[in-house]
Amino acid sequence: MEIEILDARNSKVITKCNVQSSTTIKDLKSSVYAANKKLNVHRQSFKLEVKGKTLKDSDTIESLNLRNGSKLYVKDLGPQIGWSTVFLCEYAGPLVVYLWVYTRPWLFYGDTSSSAEISQTAHIAAACYTLHYAKRLLETIFVHRFSHATMPMRNLFKNCIYYWGFTAYVAYHVNHPLFTSPSTAQVYASLAAFLLCELGNFSIHINLRNLRPPGTSVRKIPMSDSNPLTALFNFVSCPNYTYEFGAWLSFSIMTQCLPAFLFAAAGMYQMTMWAIGKHKNYKKEFKEYPKQRKAIIPFLL
């Protein structure tokens, strides 16, 4: 049978495809690319209606109940960039920015030759920031397996502005000559919590990596393993976000710095939105999904 592929912007026909019931959206993307070389497979978003929901690559003609003469719409997602490239840029920036501000450059503080020495807390904070983003970079290279090869290029600029900008804001205050450190007990208790959350976050990322065989987009119900730090899967769908927020909350308490609290709050808001979306998708996709789980905060949210 034959179906029409239309441009979602103007409803003009891009191509007509002879398909079988087993033909997938992924197959159709290749057909569209053959008809229009500007639309590589990563720029395409297929929909049943112009403003409808994006279809999965694994959806078939049969599963979508398409018939001879049916229409599908393709939206051009614009220039794309690899997920790993975006992650490397948005994580390398904070590492460089924070460590640069940590040296108290003239551009930020003027002449600091007669200022107080950098406090022990500021040294610890710099080490924590370095650990976090170095971990992120290494995870991007060696751990993460992305279900999608690319994302819109505009996300590179948006994400970098967010991470780099907040880093400069936090670093300026923590490394300021007038920075006042909280008590030693508060600093070291928060440091311990930060390190535990970082280790927990890493443990969850390793667990999620092991769910997806290399080169596939297989999805399974994430479950805890022999690592006790993955037991948080028994309570929430996205424990990596839970640990991430815990790390930044600990960093904020350790430095007792308002910009750090604002960064933690902004991150928690965004991660909560992501977690709720993923939680809903898990429940919709897997009928046997654990009912006791929440999205990001055990027993609450």
Side-chain angles (χ1 to χ4, degrees):
M1 62 180 175
E2 184 180 78
I3 63 171
E4 290 185 325
I5 310 297
L6 285 68
D7 190 324
R9 296 172 302 174
N10 50 32
S11 296
K12 291 184 178 180
V13 176
I14 297 176
T15 187
K16 295 181 179 181
C17 300
N18 290 314
V19 298
Q20 306 295 325
S21 60
S22 60
T23 301
T24 64
I25 294 298
K26 185 176 181 179
D27 297 328
L28 292 177
K29 286 183 177 181
S30 297
S31 298
V32 169
Y33 177 63
N36 185 341
K37 294 300 183 181
K38 292 182 179 180
L39 290 175
N40 69 58
V41 295
H42 301 303
R43 290 183 64 147
Q44 301 174 38
S45 172
F46 268 76
K47 301 180 179 183
L48 291 172
E49 301 174 351
V50 173
K51 295 184 179 181
K53 182 180 178 181
T54 298
L55 302 177
K56 299 177 182 178
D57 282 356
S58 58
D59 287 336
T60 64
I61 297 298
E62 182 179 22
S63 67
L64 297 172
N65 295 317
L66 297 177
R67 301 288 182 266
N68 186 50
S70 292
K71 296 179 174 60
L72 284 174
Y73 296 86
V74 173
K75 178 181 179 181
D76 182 1
L77 297 175
Q80 300 288 296
I81 189 170
W83 273 81
S84 59
T85 302
V86 174
F87 277 17
L88 290 174
C89 290
E90 68 185 41
Y91 298 153
L95 197 57
V96 173
V97 170
Y98 196 98
L99 292 179
W100 176 55
V101 179
Y102 171 61
T103 66
R104 290 185 177 174
W106 180 89
L107 180 64
F108 275 82
Y109 302 113
D111 183 8
T112 60
S113 58
S114 60
S115 301
E117 293 183 0
I118 297 177
S119 68
Q120 182 67 19
T121 301
H123 287 310
I124 294 173
C128 288
Y129 227 93
T130 300
L131 171 67
H132 178 81
Y133 283 103
K135 180 180 78 71
R136 283 285 193 91
L137 290 169
L138 292 173
E139 286 176 339
T140 298
I141 298 170
F142 299 110
V143 177
H144 293 320
R145 289 174 179 161
F146 302 103
S147 56
H148 299 287
T150 65
M151 67 168 70
M153 187 174 290
R154 62 180 179 275
N155 287 356
L156 172 64
F157 305 102
K158 179 179 66 176
N159 293 4
C160 285
I161 289 172
Y162 171 78
Y163 282 105
W164 298 20
F166 250 125
T167 292
Y169 184 36
V170 172
Y172 173 79
H173 287 273
V174 174
N175 296 291
H176 199 284
L178 298 180
F179 171 76
T180 301
S181 173
S183 68
T184 300
Q186 180 174 325
V187 170
Y188 283 101
S190 301
L191 173 61
F194 175 87
L195 294 174
L196 179 65
C197 288
E198 287 290 308
L199 183 58
N201 179 265
F202 177 72
S203 299
I204 298 300
H205 286 162
I206 292 294
N207 180 291
L208 293 173
R209 175 186 183 274
N210 293 337
L211 284 178
R212 178 173 293 156
T216 73
S217 57
V218 171
R219 287 173 59 82
K220 301 178 183 178
I221 297 177
M223 304 294 288
S224 60
D225 55 28
S226 59
N227 183 339
L229 291 175
T230 65
L232 201 52
F233 269 125
N234 296 323
F235 305 99
V236 295
S237 294
C238 301
N240 51 321
Y241 296 154
T242 310
Y243 280 124
E244 177 91 2
F245 173 66
W248 286 117
L249 179 61
S250 300
F251 181 90
S252 302
I253 295 173
M254 178 178 66
T255 58
Q256 205 163 282
C257 176
L258 178 59
F261 279 107
L262 293 176
F263 180 54
M268 182 57 176
Y269 173 78
Q270 181 60 74
M271 288 186 291
T272 298
M273 296 299 102
W274 290 336
I276 290 173
K278 290 184 177 183
H279 184 64
K280 289 181 178 178
N281 288 338
Y282 279 139
K283 292 197 295 183
K284 183 178 180 181
E285 185 173 359
F286 303 108
K287 294 182 179 180
E288 68 278 21
Y289 195 72
K291 295 182 179 180
Q292 79 278 7
R293 287 188 188 177
K294 296 296 183 180
I296 187 171
I297 302 177
F299 311 113
L300 296 176
L301 180 64

